[in-house]
Amino acid sequence: MTTFFILVGYLLLLVGLGLLSSRFFKGTSADFFVVSRSVGSFLLLMSIFGTTMTGFALVGSTGKAFSSGIGVYGLMASWSGLIHSAVFFAVGIKLWAVGKRYGYVTQCEYFRDRFESPKLGYLLFPILVLLVIPYLLVGVIAAGKFIQPTTAGLFPEAFPMPTLPNGNPHPLNGGVPPAIGSGVICLIVLFYVFFGGLRGAVWANTFQTIVFMVTGLIAFIMISKNLGGLKEASEAVANSEFAQNRLAREGLIGKLEFLSYCFVPLSVGMFPHLFQHWLTAKSAKNFKLTVVAHPLFIMVVWVPCILIGIWAAAYLGPLGPGQTPNSVLGRMVGQLVHSPVLSGLVGAGVLAAIMSSLDSQFMCLGTMFTNDIVMKKFGAGRFTDTQKIWIARGFIMAVVAITYGLSIYLKDSAHVFDLGVWCFSGFAALFPLVFAAVYWKGVTKAGAYTSIIATVVVWCILFYNDIIAEKPEGMEDELLIGGMMPVTIMIAVSAVTLVGVSLFTKKPSQETIQKFFA
Amino acid sequence: KKSAVVVILFFVLAALHQDTWNWNNKDLWLGFMPAGLGYHLIFSVVAALFWFLVSKFAWPHKTEEWAEQE
């Protein structure tokens, strides 16, 4: 029960934080959507880092290292450390500046003006929403699926599971079912976003980031201690026939796959929820800490998880039937650290990593529906500030309800967790659009339309081949094209069409050039 | 000029990172840290140092001034 009470305590702290943040709410739409553009360096760093890191940072990274070894850090973490900071520096600050100068709250508002096309928002809006929804689903389903085994055995009468054919009790017997676990998580996130707006999310993200960074380190220390110490744990990997190849990248990750993974982190340039966080900064100087500390924060979270992953390969050996790499962190904690307190803390850490992304995504979708659809359709002048806030709250509630419903419907779908990399790839493929909008005076409306449509077509074709189409025998799980990630093809098509069409079509007016580049 | 230096150094760092694909030393540094992970750990620190220097010497102060104008 201790584990359960720690999880409940963590969730109650979030509710308290939500109540506290709502006390600071100024009642204006600018405060609800972008915290009155008043966020300082530390909160900006914590909210952006917390939003960027999902549950994958703890659970997925450990599982991926278990399967593919230490090369996973280079593949996913150190590439991200370099590229994320570059995007924050080169694109984030520029977008913060145009947002502050012209009062933008969403990406579509900016792109409509930059490309002199009100209709561009209607093309881009559904694409951004459809890319965020699966990303949300992964988080909501992961939360529900994580809570059930963590609470297994606690409520056998309330949540009984049928006995296994061999007579043993079901391992999930008495655990809180995913429908309830996911529902509670959704309601708590909804609570602090509903009342506190983006300030609620920023404060919660700061708390959650501290929680998942600290609990990851505690798990690392406790696991290494119970394996006999750092040296003994790593030497066991070197001496294990099954695990020793995990000590290097060789034979586990291809050269072009390693290279093409550098395109995936470009997705942060087009995440609508990160765009909204950028706009909260008080000044451009507040980005300095985020740009510098981001690679180090990634290191603090990922290095312990990568080491736990390779140690698990030696300690646990090959996966048994029905076991997945994502269960590795939970199994290591369960088998090595017989402490309900630590299990509770690690559980809170995983939920913190998941929820710190969910809140910003719920918030950004509510903001987009309000500003890109309702205000655009009926005119912002028709509504008071209070009405705008209530419209946004209504949309946020609807998005949470739809996401929760979909998560219940899709909770046992085998492919939901494969959608994550496709969402990231889709956003990354739109990166040339935002980069050109910020830096190239000559990029045209026709170029933007062609690039977006070409990207969508290529994304759909590649997605179909990877997720929907029947795969030939012996084909790898992850779709690689010429050894490269599909995102490479998408970005190439996006960039070539954007540049090619822009060179031969009507340039933007001098007025627009003056507005954004003077 | 500063922008050009930042861009060139950024791509040098990216090329260095890609080159780590070829480094397949299986030694354990300090007895526990796989060398391959150690290389990338050092790379993360170097990346942070690079961005620290950028923030000191090549920060876009004009962007801030531009944002404040009506």
Coordinates of all heavy atoms in Angstrom, one line a residue, chain A residues 70 73-74 78-79 82 85-86 89 93 96-98 100-101 230-231 234 247-250 253-255 258-259 283-285 288 291-292 295-296 299 303 307 310 515-516 518, chain B residues 6 10 13-14 17-18 20-22 24-26 28 30-34 36-37 40-41 43-45 47-48 51-52 54-55 58-61 63-64 66-70:
Chain A
I70 N 24.5 0.6 -25.8 CA 24.8 2.0 -25.4 C 24.7 2.9 -26.6 O 24.7 4.1 -26.4 CB 26.2 2.1 -24.8 CG1 27.3 1.5 -25.7 CG2 26.3 1.4 -23.4 CD1 28.1 2.4 -26.5
Y73 N 22.2 5.9 -26.7 CA 22.4 7.3 -26.2 C 22.8 8.2 -27.3 O 22.3 9.4 -27.4 CB 23.5 7.3 -25.1 CG 23.7 8.6 -24.5 CD1 22.9 9.0 -23.4 CD2 24.6 9.6 -24.9 CE1 23.0 10.3 -22.8 CE2 24.8 10.8 -24.4 CZ 23.9 11.2 -23.3 OH 24.0 12.4 -22.8
G74 N 23.8 7.8 -28.2 CA 24.2 8.6 -29.3 C 23.0 8.8 -30.3 O 22.8 9.9 -30.8
S78 N 22.3 12.2 -27.4 CA 23.2 13.3 -27.6 C 23.0 14.0 -29.0 O 23.3 15.2 -29.1 CB 24.7 12.8 -27.6 OG 24.9 11.6 -28.3
W79 N 22.3 13.3 -29.9 CA 21.9 14.0 -31.1 C 20.8 15.1 -30.7 O 20.9 16.2 -31.1 CB 21.2 13.1 -32.1 CG 22.0 12.5 -33.3 CD1 22.0 11.3 -33.8 CD2 23.0 13.2 -34.1 NE1 22.9 11.1 -34.8 CE2 23.5 12.3 -35.1 CE3 23.5 14.6 -34.1 CZ2 24.5 12.7 -36.0 CZ3 24.4 14.9 -35.1 CH2 24.9 14.0 -36.0
L82 N 22.3 18.2 -29.0 CA 22.9 19.2 -29.9 C 21.8 19.9 -30.7 O 21.8 21.1 -30.8 CB 23.8 18.5 -30.8 CG 24.6 19.4 -31.8 CD1 25.6 20.3 -31.1 CD2 25.4 18.5 -32.8
S85 N 18.9 22.2 -28.8 CA 19.4 23.5 -28.5 C 19.6 24.4 -29.7 O 19.3 25.6 -29.6 CB 20.8 23.4 -27.7 OG 20.6 22.9 -26.5
A86 N 20.0 23.8 -30.8 CA 20.2 24.6 -32.1 C 18.8 25.1 -32.5 O 18.7 26.3 -32.9 CB 20.8 23.7 -33.1
F89 N 17.7 27.9 -30.3 CA 18.5 29.1 -30.5 C 18.1 29.8 -31.9 O 17.9 31.0 -31.9 CB 20.0 28.7 -30.5 CG 20.9 29.9 -30.9 CD1 21.2 30.9 -30.0 CD2 21.5 29.9 -32.1 CE1 22.0 31.9 -30.3 CE2 22.4 31.0 -32.5 CZ 22.6 32.0 -31.5
I93 N 13.9 31.6 -30.6 CA 14.1 33.0 -30.2 C 13.4 33.9 -31.3 O 12.7 34.8 -30.9 CB 15.6 33.3 -30.0 CG1 16.1 32.6 -28.8 CG2 15.8 34.8 -29.8 CD1 17.6 32.6 -28.7
W96 N 9.7 33.6 -30.8 CA 9.3 34.4 -29.6 C 9.2 35.8 -29.9 O 8.3 36.5 -29.5 CB 10.4 34.2 -28.5 CG 10.2 35.2 -27.4 CD1 9.4 35.1 -26.3 CD2 10.9 36.4 -27.3 NE1 9.5 36.2 -25.6 CE2 10.4 37.1 -26.1 CE3 11.9 37.1 -28.0 CZ2 10.9 38.3 -25.7 CZ3 12.3 38.3 -27.6 CH2 11.8 38.9 -26.5
A97 N 10.2 36.3 -30.7 CA 10.2 37.8 -31.1 C 9.0 38.2 -31.9 O 8.4 39.2 -31.6 CB 11.5 38.1 -31.8
V98 N 8.7 37.4 -33.0 CA 7.5 37.8 -33.8 C 6.2 37.6 -33.0 O 5.3 38.4 -33.1 CB 7.4 37.0 -35.1 CG1 8.5 37.4 -36.1 CG2 7.3 35.5 -34.9
K100 N 5.9 38.1 -29.7 CA 5.8 39.2 -28.8 C 5.4 40.5 -29.5 O 4.6 41.2 -29.1 CB 7.1 39.4 -28.0 CG 7.1 40.4 -26.9 CD 8.4 40.5 -26.2 CE 8.5 41.6 -25.2 NZ 7.7 41.3 -24.0
R101 N 6.0 40.7 -30.7 CA 5.8 41.9 -31.4 C 4.4 42.0 -32.0 O 3.8 43.1 -32.0 CB 6.8 42.0 -32.5 CG 6.7 43.4 -33.3 CD 8.0 43.6 -34.0 NE 7.8 44.8 -34.9 CZ 8.8 45.4 -35.5 NH1 10.0 45.1 -35.2 NH2 8.6 46.4 -36.3
L230 N 28.8 -0.3 -9.0 CA 28.9 0.1 -10.5 C 29.8 -0.8 -11.3 O 29.4 -1.3 -12.3 CB 29.4 1.5 -10.6 CG 28.5 2.6 -10.0 CD1 29.2 4.0 -10.0 CD2 27.3 2.8 -10.9
K231 N 31.0 -1.1 -10.7 CA 31.9 -1.9 -11.4 C 31.4 -3.4 -11.6 O 31.5 -3.9 -12.8 CB 33.3 -2.0 -10.6 CG 34.0 -0.7 -10.7 CD 35.4 -0.8 -10.0 CE 36.2 0.5 -10.1 NZ 37.5 0.4 -9.4
S234 N 28.7 -3.5 -14.4 CA 29.2 -3.4 -15.8 C 30.0 -4.6 -16.1 O 30.0 -5.0 -17.3 CB 29.9 -2.1 -15.9 OG 29.0 -1.0 -15.9
L247 N 27.9 -3.3 -25.1 CA 28.8 -2.4 -24.6 C 29.4 -1.5 -25.7 O 30.1 -0.5 -25.5 CB 30.0 -3.1 -24.0 CG 29.7 -3.7 -22.6 CD1 30.9 -4.6 -22.1 CD2 29.4 -2.7 -21.6
A248 N 29.0 -1.8 -27.0 CA 29.4 -0.9 -28.1 C 28.3 -0.9 -29.1 O 27.3 -1.6 -29.0 CB 30.7 -1.5 -28.8
R249 N 28.4 0.0 -30.0 CA 27.3 0.2 -31.0 C 27.4 -0.8 -32.1 O 26.4 -1.2 -32.7 CB 27.4 1.6 -31.6 CG 26.4 2.0 -32.6 CD 27.0 2.4 -33.9 NE 28.3 2.0 -34.2 CZ 28.6 0.9 -35.0 NH1 27.6 0.2 -35.5 NH2 29.8 0.6 -35.2
E250 N 28.6 -1.3 -32.3 CA 28.9 -2.2 -33.5 C 27.9 -3.3 -33.7 O 27.6 -4.1 -32.8 CB 30.3 -2.8 -33.3 CG 31.0 -3.3 -34.5 CD 32.4 -3.6 -34.3 OE1 32.8 -3.9 -33.2 OE2 33.2 -3.4 -35.2
I253 N 23.5 -0.9 -34.6 CA 22.9 0.3 -35.2 C 23.7 0.7 -36.5 O 24.9 0.8 -36.4 CB 22.9 1.5 -34.2 CG1 22.1 1.2 -33.0 CG2 22.4 2.8 -34.9 CD1 22.3 2.2 -31.8
G254 N 23.0 0.7 -37.6 CA 23.7 1.0 -38.9 C 24.2 2.5 -39.0 O 23.7 3.3 -38.3
K255 N 25.2 2.7 -39.8 CA 25.8 4.0 -40.0 C 24.8 5.1 -40.4 O 24.7 6.2 -39.9 CB 27.0 4.0 -40.9 CG 27.8 5.2 -41.0 CD 29.1 5.0 -41.7 CE 30.0 6.2 -41.5 NZ 31.4 5.9 -42.0
F258 N 22.1 5.8 -37.8 CA 22.7 6.7 -36.8 C 22.7 8.1 -37.3 O 22.3 9.0 -36.6 CB 24.1 6.2 -36.5 CG 24.7 6.9 -35.3 CD1 24.5 6.4 -34.0 CD2 25.6 8.0 -35.4 CE1 25.0 7.0 -32.9 CE2 26.1 8.6 -34.3 CZ 25.9 8.1 -33.0
L259 N 23.1 8.3 -38.6 CA 23.1 9.7 -39.2 C 21.7 10.2 -39.3 O 21.4 11.4 -38.9 CB 23.8 9.6 -40.5 CG 23.8 10.9 -41.3 CD1 24.6 12.0 -40.6 CD2 24.4 10.7 -42.7
S283 N 11.9 37.5 -21.9 CA 12.8 38.1 -22.9 C 13.6 37.0 -23.6 O 13.6 35.9 -23.2 CB 13.7 39.1 -22.2 OG 14.8 38.4 -21.7
A284 N 14.3 37.4 -24.7 CA 15.1 36.5 -25.4 C 16.3 35.9 -24.5 O 16.7 34.8 -24.7 CB 15.7 37.1 -26.6
K285 N 16.7 36.8 -23.6 CA 17.8 36.3 -22.7 C 17.4 35.1 -21.8 O 18.2 34.3 -21.4 CB 18.2 37.5 -21.7 CG 18.8 38.7 -22.4 CD 19.2 39.7 -21.3 CE 19.6 41.0 -22.0 NZ 18.3 41.8 -22.3
K288 N 18.7 31.6 -22.8 CA 20.1 31.2 -22.6 C 20.2 30.0 -21.8 O 20.9 29.0 -22.2 CB 20.9 32.4 -22.0 CG 21.2 33.5 -22.9 CD 22.2 34.5 -22.2 CE 22.5 35.6 -23.2 NZ 23.4 36.6 -22.6
V291 N 19.0 26.8 -23.7 CA 19.9 26.4 -24.8 C 21.1 25.7 -24.2 O 21.6 24.7 -24.7 CB 20.3 27.7 -25.6 CG1 21.4 27.3 -26.5 CG2 19.1 28.1 -26.4
V292 N 21.7 26.3 -23.1 CA 23.0 25.7 -22.6 C 22.7 24.4 -21.8 O 23.4 23.4 -21.9 CB 23.7 26.8 -21.7 CG1 24.9 26.2 -21.0 CG2 24.1 28.0 -22.5
P295 N 21.4 20.0 -23.2 CA 22.2 18.8 -23.4 C 22.6 18.1 -22.1 O 22.6 16.9 -22.0 CB 23.4 19.3 -24.2 CG 23.1 20.6 -24.7 CD 22.0 21.2 -23.8
L296 N 22.8 18.9 -21.1 CA 23.2 18.4 -19.8 C 22.0 17.7 -19.1 O 22.2 16.7 -18.4 CB 23.8 19.5 -18.9 CG 25.0 20.2 -19.4 CD1 25.5 21.3 -18.5 CD2 26.2 19.2 -19.6
M299 N 21.5 14.4 -20.5 CA 22.5 13.5 -20.1 C 22.1 12.9 -18.7 O 22.2 11.7 -18.4 CB 23.8 14.2 -20.0 CG 25.0 13.4 -19.6 SD 26.5 14.4 -19.7 CE 26.4 15.3 -18.2
V303 N 21.7 8.9 -19.2 CA 22.8 8.0 -18.9 C 22.5 7.0 -17.9 O 22.7 5.8 -18.1 CB 24.0 8.9 -18.5 CG1 25.1 8.0 -17.9 CG2 24.6 9.6 -19.7
L307 N 22.5 2.8 -18.7 CA 23.3 1.9 -17.9 C 22.4 0.8 -17.3 O 22.7 -0.4 -17.4 CB 24.1 2.6 -16.8 CG 25.3 3.3 -17.4 CD1 25.9 4.2 -16.3 CD2 26.4 2.3 -17.9
I310 N 21.5 -1.8 -20.1 CA 22.5 -2.8 -20.4 C 22.8 -3.8 -19.2 O 23.1 -4.9 -19.4 CB 23.9 -2.2 -21.0 CG1 24.6 -1.3 -19.9 CG2 23.6 -1.4 -22.2 CD1 26.0 -1.0 -20.3
K515 N 7.4 43.7 -42.6 CA 6.8 43.3 -41.3 C 7.7 42.3 -40.5 O 7.8 42.4 -39.3 CB 5.4 42.7 -41.6 CG 4.7 42.3 -40.3 CD 3.3 41.9 -40.6 CE 2.6 41.4 -39.3 NZ 1.2 41.1 -39.5
F516 N 8.2 41.4 -41.3 CA 9.0 40.3 -40.6 C 10.5 40.4 -40.6 O 11.2 39.7 -39.9 CB 8.5 38.9 -41.2 CG 7.1 38.6 -40.8 CD1 6.1 38.7 -41.8 CD2 6.8 38.1 -39.6 CE1 4.8 38.4 -41.5 CE2 5.5 37.8 -39.2 CZ 4.5 38.0 -40.2
A518 N 12.3 43.7 -41.3 CA 12.8 45.0 -41.2 C 13.7 45.2 -39.9 O 13.3 44.6 -38.9 CB 11.7 46.1 -41.2
Chain B
V6 N 29.4 30.3 -35.8 CA 28.5 29.5 -35.1 C 28.0 28.3 -36.0 O 28.1 27.1 -35.5 CB 27.3 30.2 -34.5 CG1 26.2 29.3 -33.9 CG2 27.7 31.2 -33.4
F10 N 29.0 24.4 -35.4 CA 27.8 23.5 -35.2 C 28.0 22.3 -36.1 O 27.8 21.1 -35.6 CB 26.5 24.2 -35.5 CG 25.3 23.3 -35.4 CD1 24.8 22.8 -34.2 CD2 24.8 22.8 -36.6 CE1 23.7 21.9 -34.2 CE2 23.7 21.9 -36.6 CZ 23.2 21.5 -35.4
L13 N 30.7 20.0 -34.9 CA 30.3 19.2 -33.8 C 29.4 18.0 -34.3 O 29.5 16.9 -33.8 CB 29.5 20.0 -32.8 CG 30.2 20.7 -31.7 CD1 29.2 21.5 -30.8 CD2 30.9 19.7 -30.8
A14 N 28.5 18.3 -35.2 CA 27.6 17.3 -35.8 C 28.4 16.2 -36.5 O 28.2 15.0 -36.3 CB 26.6 17.9 -36.7
H17 N 30.1 14.1 -33.9 CA 29.1 13.2 -33.3 C 28.9 12.0 -34.3 O 28.8 10.8 -33.8 CB 27.8 13.9 -33.1 CG 26.8 13.0 -32.3 ND1 26.0 12.2 -32.9 CD2 26.6 12.9 -31.0 CE1 25.2 11.6 -32.0 NE2 25.6 12.0 -30.8
Q18 N 28.8 12.2 -35.6 CA 28.5 11.1 -36.5 C 29.7 10.2 -36.5 O 29.6 9.0 -36.6 CB 28.2 11.7 -37.9 CG 28.1 10.6 -39.0 CD 27.0 9.6 -38.7 OE1 26.0 9.9 -38.0 NE2 27.0 8.5 -39.3
T20 N 31.5 9.3 -34.1 CA 31.5 8.4 -33.0 C 30.9 7.1 -33.3 O 31.1 6.1 -32.6 CB 30.8 9.0 -31.8 OG1 29.4 9.2 -32.1 CG2 31.4 10.3 -31.3
W21 N 30.2 7.0 -34.4 CA 29.7 5.7 -34.9 C 30.8 4.7 -35.1 O 30.6 3.5 -34.9 CB 28.9 5.9 -36.2 CG 28.2 4.6 -36.6 CD1 27.0 4.2 -36.3 CD2 28.7 3.7 -37.6 NE1 26.7 3.0 -36.9 CE2 27.7 2.7 -37.7 CE3 29.9 3.6 -38.3 CZ2 27.9 1.6 -38.5 CZ3 30.1 2.5 -39.1 CH2 29.1 1.5 -39.2
N22 N 32.0 5.2 -35.5 CA 33.1 4.3 -35.8 C 33.9 3.9 -34.5 O 34.7 3.1 -34.6 CB 34.1 5.0 -36.7 CG 33.4 5.4 -38.1 OD1 32.9 4.5 -38.7 ND2 33.5 6.6 -38.5
N24 N 34.3 1.9 -31.5 CA 33.7 0.7 -30.9 C 34.5 0.1 -29.8 O 34.6 -1.1 -29.7 CB 33.3 -0.2 -32.0 CG 32.0 0.2 -32.7 OD1 31.0 0.3 -32.1 ND2 32.1 0.5 -34.0
N25 N 35.1 0.9 -29.0 CA 35.9 0.4 -27.9 C 35.0 -0.1 -26.8 O 34.0 0.5 -26.5 CB 36.7 1.7 -27.4 CG 37.6 1.3 -26.3 OD1 37.5 0.3 -25.7 ND2 38.5 2.3 -26.0
K26 N 35.3 -1.3 -26.4 CA 34.4 -1.9 -25.4 C 35.0 -1.8 -23.9 O 34.5 -2.5 -23.0 CB 34.2 -3.4 -25.7 CG 33.2 -3.6 -26.9 CD 32.8 -5.0 -27.0 CE 31.8 -5.2 -28.2 NZ 31.4 -6.6 -28.4
L28 N 35.9 -0.5 -20.2 CA 35.0 0.2 -19.2 C 35.9 1.2 -18.5 O 36.9 0.9 -17.8 CB 34.6 -0.9 -18.1 CG 33.6 -2.0 -18.7 CD1 33.4 -3.0 -17.6 CD2 32.3 -1.3 -19.1
L30 N 36.8 3.8 -15.7 CA 36.7 3.8 -14.2 C 36.1 2.5 -13.8 O 35.5 2.4 -12.7 CB 35.7 5.0 -13.8 CG 36.2 6.4 -14.2 CD1 35.1 7.4 -13.8 CD2 37.5 6.8 -13.6
G31 N 36.2 1.5 -14.6 CA 35.7 0.2 -14.2 C 34.2 -0.1 -14.5 O 33.8 -1.2 -14.3
F32 N 33.5 1.0 -14.8 CA 32.0 0.8 -15.0 C 31.4 1.5 -16.2 O 30.4 1.0 -16.7 CB 31.3 1.2 -13.8 CG 31.0 2.7 -13.7 CD1 29.9 3.3 -14.1 CD2 32.0 3.5 -13.1 CE1 29.6 4.6 -14.1 CE2 31.8 4.9 -13.0 CZ 30.6 5.4 -13.5
M33 N 32.0 2.5 -16.7 CA 31.4 3.3 -17.8 C 31.9 2.8 -19.2 O 33.0 2.9 -19.5 CB 31.8 4.8 -17.6 CG 31.3 5.7 -18.8 SD 29.5 5.8 -18.8 CE 29.2 6.9 -17.4
P34 N 30.9 2.2 -20.0 CA 31.3 1.7 -21.3 C 31.9 2.9 -22.1 O 31.3 4.0 -22.1 CB 30.0 1.2 -21.9 CG 29.1 1.0 -20.8 CD 29.5 1.9 -19.7
G36 N 32.1 3.7 -25.1 CA 31.2 4.3 -26.2 C 30.2 5.3 -25.5 O 29.9 6.3 -26.1
L37 N 29.7 4.9 -24.4 CA 28.8 5.9 -23.7 C 29.6 7.0 -23.1 O 29.1 8.2 -23.1 CB 28.1 5.1 -22.5 CG 27.0 5.8 -21.8 CD1 25.9 6.3 -22.7 CD2 26.3 4.9 -20.7
H40 N 30.1 9.7 -25.7 CA 28.9 10.6 -25.9 C 28.6 11.5 -24.7 O 28.0 12.5 -24.9 CB 27.7 9.7 -26.2 CG 27.7 9.2 -27.7 ND1 27.5 7.9 -28.0 CD2 28.0 9.8 -28.8 CE1 27.6 7.7 -29.3 NE2 27.9 8.9 -29.8
L41 N 29.0 11.0 -23.5 CA 28.8 11.8 -22.3 C 29.6 13.0 -22.4 O 29.2 14.2 -22.2 CB 29.2 10.9 -21.1 CG 28.5 11.3 -19.8 CD1 28.4 10.0 -19.0 CD2 29.4 12.2 -19.0
F43 N 30.7 14.3 -25.2 CA 30.1 15.1 -26.3 C 29.0 16.0 -25.8 O 28.9 17.1 -26.2 CB 29.6 14.1 -27.4 CG 29.0 14.9 -28.5 CD1 29.8 15.4 -29.6 CD2 27.6 15.2 -28.6 CE1 29.3 16.2 -30.6 CE2 27.1 16.0 -29.6 CZ 27.9 16.4 -30.6
S44 N 28.2 15.4 -24.9 CA 27.1 16.2 -24.4 C 27.6 17.4 -23.6 O 27.0 18.5 -23.7 CB 26.2 15.4 -23.4 OG 25.5 14.4 -24.2
V45 N 28.7 17.2 -22.8 CA 29.3 18.3 -22.1 C 29.9 19.4 -23.1 O 29.7 20.6 -22.9 CB 30.4 17.8 -21.1 CG1 31.1 19.0 -20.4 CG2 29.7 16.9 -20.1
A47 N 28.9 19.9 -26.1 CA 27.8 20.6 -26.8 C 27.2 21.7 -25.9 O 27.0 22.8 -26.3 CB 26.6 19.6 -27.1
A48 N 27.1 21.4 -24.6 CA 26.7 22.5 -23.6 C 27.7 23.6 -23.6 O 27.3 24.8 -23.5 CB 26.5 21.8 -22.2
W51 N 27.2 25.8 -26.6 CA 26.1 26.7 -26.5 C 26.3 27.8 -25.5 O 25.8 28.9 -25.6 CB 24.8 25.9 -26.2 CG 24.4 25.1 -27.4 CD1 24.3 23.7 -27.5 CD2 24.0 25.6 -28.7 NE1 23.9 23.4 -28.8 CE2 23.7 24.5 -29.5 CE3 23.9 26.9 -29.3 CZ2 23.3 24.6 -30.9 CZ3 23.5 27.0 -30.6 CH2 23.2 25.9 -31.4
F52 N 27.1 27.5 -24.5 CA 27.5 28.5 -23.5 C 28.3 29.6 -24.1 O 28.0 30.8 -23.9 CB 28.3 27.8 -22.3 CG 28.8 28.8 -21.3 CD1 28.0 29.4 -20.4 CD2 30.2 29.2 -21.3 CE1 28.4 30.4 -19.5 CE2 30.6 30.1 -20.4 CZ 29.8 30.7 -19.5
V54 N 28.3 30.3 -27.3 CA 27.4 31.0 -28.2 C 26.6 32.1 -27.4 O 26.4 33.2 -27.9 CB 26.5 30.1 -28.9 CG1 25.3 30.8 -29.7 CG2 27.2 29.2 -29.9
S55 N 26.1 31.7 -26.2 CA 25.3 32.6 -25.5 C 26.1 33.8 -25.0 O 25.6 34.9 -24.7 CB 24.6 31.8 -24.3 OG 25.6 31.6 -23.3
A58 N 27.7 35.3 -29.1 CA 27.0 35.4 -30.4 C 25.5 35.4 -30.1 O 24.7 35.0 -31.0 CB 27.4 34.3 -31.3
W59 N 25.1 36.0 -29.0 CA 23.6 36.0 -28.7 C 22.9 37.1 -29.6 O 23.5 38.2 -29.8 CB 23.4 36.3 -27.2 CG 22.0 36.0 -26.8 CD1 21.0 36.8 -26.5 CD2 21.5 34.7 -26.6 NE1 19.9 36.1 -26.2 CE2 20.2 34.8 -26.2 CE3 22.1 33.4 -26.8 CZ2 19.4 33.7 -26.0 CZ3 21.3 32.3 -26.5 CH2 19.9 32.4 -26.1
P60 N 21.7 36.8 -30.1 CA 21.1 37.7 -31.0 C 20.3 38.8 -30.3 O 19.1 38.9 -30.2 CB 20.1 36.8 -31.7 CG 19.8 35.7 -30.8 CD 21.0 35.5 -30.0
H61 N 21.1 39.8 -29.7 CA 20.5 40.9 -28.9 C 19.6 41.7 -29.8 O 18.6 42.3 -29.3 CB 21.6 41.8 -28.4 CG 22.5 41.0 -27.4 ND1 22.0 40.6 -26.1 CD2 23.7 40.5 -27.4 CE1 22.9 40.0 -25.5 NE2 24.0 39.9 -26.2
T63 N 17.5 40.8 -32.0 CA 16.2 40.2 -32.0 C 15.3 40.7 -30.9 O 14.1 40.9 -31.0 CB 16.3 38.6 -32.0 OG1 17.1 38.2 -33.0 CG2 15.0 37.9 -32.1
E64 N 15.9 40.8 -29.7 CA 15.2 41.3 -28.5 C 14.7 42.7 -28.7 O 13.6 43.0 -28.5 CB 16.2 41.2 -27.3 CG 15.5 41.7 -26.1 CD 15.4 40.7 -25.0 OE1 16.4 39.9 -24.8 OE2 14.4 40.6 -24.4
W66 N 14.2 44.2 -31.6 CA 13.2 44.2 -32.6 C 11.8 43.8 -32.0 O 10.8 44.3 -32.4 CB 13.6 43.2 -33.7 CG 12.7 43.1 -34.9 CD1 12.7 43.9 -36.0 CD2 11.6 42.1 -35.1 NE1 11.7 43.5 -36.9 CE2 11.0 42.4 -36.3 CE3 11.1 41.1 -34.3 CZ2 10.0 41.7 -36.8 CZ3 10.1 40.3 -34.8 CH2 9.5 40.6 -36.1
A67 N 11.8 42.8 -31.1 CA 10.6 42.3 -30.5 C 9.9 43.4 -29.7 O 8.7 43.4 -29.6 CB 10.9 41.1 -29.7
E68 N 10.7 44.3 -29.1 CA 10.1 45.3 -28.2 C 9.5 46.4 -29.0 O 8.7 47.2 -28.4 CB 11.2 45.8 -27.3 CG 11.8 44.8 -26.4 CD 10.9 44.2 -25.3 OE1 9.8 44.8 -25.2 OE2 11.2 43.2 -24.7
Q69 N 9.8 46.6 -30.3 CA 9.3 47.7 -31.1 C 7.8 47.5 -31.4 O 7.4 46.3 -31.5 CB 10.1 47.8 -32.4 CG 11.5 48.3 -32.2 CD 12.3 48.1 -33.5 OE1 11.8 47.8 -34.5 NE2 13.6 48.3 -33.3
E70 N 7.1 48.6 -31.5 CA 5.7 48.5 -31.8 C 5.5 48.3 -33.3 O 6.2 49.0 -34.1 CB 4.9 49.7 -31.3 CG 4.8 49.7 -29.8 CD 4.0 48.5 -29.3 OE1 3.0 48.1 -30.0 OE2 4.4 47.9 -28.3

